[in-house]
């Protein structure tokens, strides 16, 4: 059995812990959304039992990936730092039941697996951590564009003359 495949229920019951670093190049779903395959994601997975008595997994991912800014279409470095709490149900019905009892939007309830590849969980978490619309806070070329815009007289100003 691969070191990445866990029995999710047993992992939580025994307060399991895994951590590691995975190159973005090895995450095929994640790097499809990236400008290139550079960088790596540091991650950790912790199992515990919630105060309500449900198996609970905390996933954390951090690292820097290259995304394409949707405003100026150039790549920029996005710093990812995210963590999520997952509760495990035995099946769909049980997961729905837990969701109803918890009544907490910030907690995701999934169906736990006795054959769970944590690399999939980590990649899911990294994908969720990406911005919906990636863009620079301030695009590097914007200043230049603004200068050009302000230098060009408006058609109305020209007409007045
Ligand atoms: Zn930009």
């Amino acid at each position: 059995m691969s070191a990445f495949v866990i029995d999710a229920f047993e992992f939580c019951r025994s307060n399991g812990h895994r951590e590691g670093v995975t190159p973005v190049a090895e995450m095929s779903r994640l790097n499809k959304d990236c400008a290139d395959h550079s960088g790596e994601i540091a991650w950790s997975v912790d199992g515990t039992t919630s105060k309500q008595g449900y198996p609970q997994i905390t996933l954390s991912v951090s690292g820097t990936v290259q995304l394409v800014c949707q405003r100026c279409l150039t790549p920029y470095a996005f710093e990812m730092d995210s963590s999520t709490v997952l509760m495990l149900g035995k099946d769909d019905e049980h997961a729905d039941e837990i969701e109803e009892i918890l009544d907490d939007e910030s907690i995701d309830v999934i169906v736990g697996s006795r054959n769970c590849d944590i690399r999939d969980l980590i990649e899911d978490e990294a994908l969720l951590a990406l911005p919906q619309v990636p863009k620079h806070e301030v695009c590097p070329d914007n200043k230049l564009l603004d200068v050009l815009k302000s230098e060009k007289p408006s058609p109305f100003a020209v007409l007045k003359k």
Side-chain angles (χ1 to χ4, degrees):
M1 202 196 259
S2 153
F4 291 110
V5 178
I6 59 168
D7 175 332
F9 295 101
E10 178 58 25
F11 184 77
C12 293
R13 202 193 54 76
S14 60
N15 294 330
H17 172 79
R18 291 271 201 295
E19 60 179 41
V21 177
T22 302
V24 171
E26 285 179 17
M27 298 178 151
S28 57
R29 287 182 294 142
L30 176 69
N31 63 35
K32 249 193 287 181
D33 287 345
C34 296
D36 60 30
H37 292 187
S38 70
E40 48 194 25
I41 305 294
W43 52 264
S44 66
V45 185
D46 285 284
T48 183
T49 302
S50 78
K51 53 181 191 290
Q52 301 90 348
Y54 304 119
Q56 174 179 315
I57 286 181
T58 304
L59 284 172
S60 301
V61 292
S62 64
T64 304
V65 295
Q66 298 293 317
L67 300 180
V68 177
C69 170
Q70 296 304 299
R71 199 155 42 196
C72 68
L73 300 179
T74 60
Y76 75 106
F78 171 72
E79 260 183 62
M80 178 185 295
D81 187 7
S82 169
S83 87
T84 296
V85 174
L86 297 173
M87 300 269 184
L88 306 181
K90 292 188 197 81
D91 48 38
D92 281 325
E93 208 173 298
H94 190 222
D96 288 345
E97 197 184 302
I98 296 174
E99 212 151 54
E100 223 163 272
I101 293 169
L102 292 175
D103 195 24
D104 184 342
E105 292 283 319
S106 70
I107 296 173
D108 285 320
V109 184
I110 62 168
V111 177
S113 162
R114 301 224 172 251
N115 221 337
C116 171
D117 192 326
I118 55 175
R119 286 170 297 191
D120 290 336
L121 293 180
I122 294 157
E123 194 163 2
D124 286 343
E125 176 64 15
L127 281 165
L128 286 173
L130 296 179
Q132 294 266 345
V133 182
K135 56 185 180 216
H136 289 104
E137 259 174 52
V138 179
C139 290
D141 288 328
N142 256 10
K143 267 193 191 136
L144 192 62
L145 283 174
D146 285 345
V147 170
L148 288 174
K149 269 185 215 151
S150 61
E151 277 177 355
K152 198 176 151 202
S154 85
F156 299 105
V158 174
L159 283 175
K160 268 184 199 160
K161 279 180 196 163

